[in-house]
Amino acid sequence: MVTSLGTGDKMFTWPAGILNLFWGVLFQKKRAEEALKGSGLKHTIIRPGGMERPKDDFKYTHNLECYTEDSLSGGVVSRRQVAELVSAVVMEDPPISQNMCFEVIAQTPEFAPNRTMADAMAAVIEICGEQG
């Protein structure tokens, strides 16, 4: 499931919280996440940052970075990068991101290393394992 950055505990923080001014968008997305989590179905939830500005070539100057659930309240990522991450999650064998939630933004190379989608997910999964 692809929802939005700020859907969880950061729902009322700036800048993500601005989406709640428009018909409670983040609140509705949180309800959808909770329904999926409570369904018992295998799932992965991806919460991307803002996708309205970055174009497809954004991935050539900004690297994808995955974070644990409720880590971020702002950032941007291209639609193409999100689509590639969704594809990587679907193709996982074994499904290492099963029943997890990621927050995703893209940053310049000095803040985010250039790595594959699988490596970006593995880094946050490792952190989740250490916390759990």
Side-chain angles (χ1 to χ4, degrees), residues 40-110:
L41 295 171
K42 297 174 184 174
H43 65 275
T44 300
I45 298 171
I46 298 171
R47 294 178 178 170
M51 296 185 288
E52 65 279 355
R53 287 187 309 255
K55 304 296 182 211
D56 284 348
D57 61 352
F58 193 71
K59 73 174 264 174
Y60 300 115
T61 58
H62 293 74
N63 298 323
L64 187 85
E65 191 74 345
C66 296
Y67 295 85
T68 56
E69 185 174 3
D70 297 325
S71 296
L72 304 170
S73 60
V76 296
V77 63
S78 74
R79 288 176 175 84
R80 180 178 185 158
Q81 288 169 305
V82 173
E84 289 174 354
L85 180 61
V86 169
S87 177
V89 166
V90 170
M91 300 304 292
E92 285 180 333
D93 187 27
I96 59 174
S97 66
Q98 185 174 300
N99 300 329
M100 296 188 78
C101 179
F102 296 98
E103 296 187 337
V104 182
I105 61 171
Q107 299 191 63
T108 54
E110 61 267 20

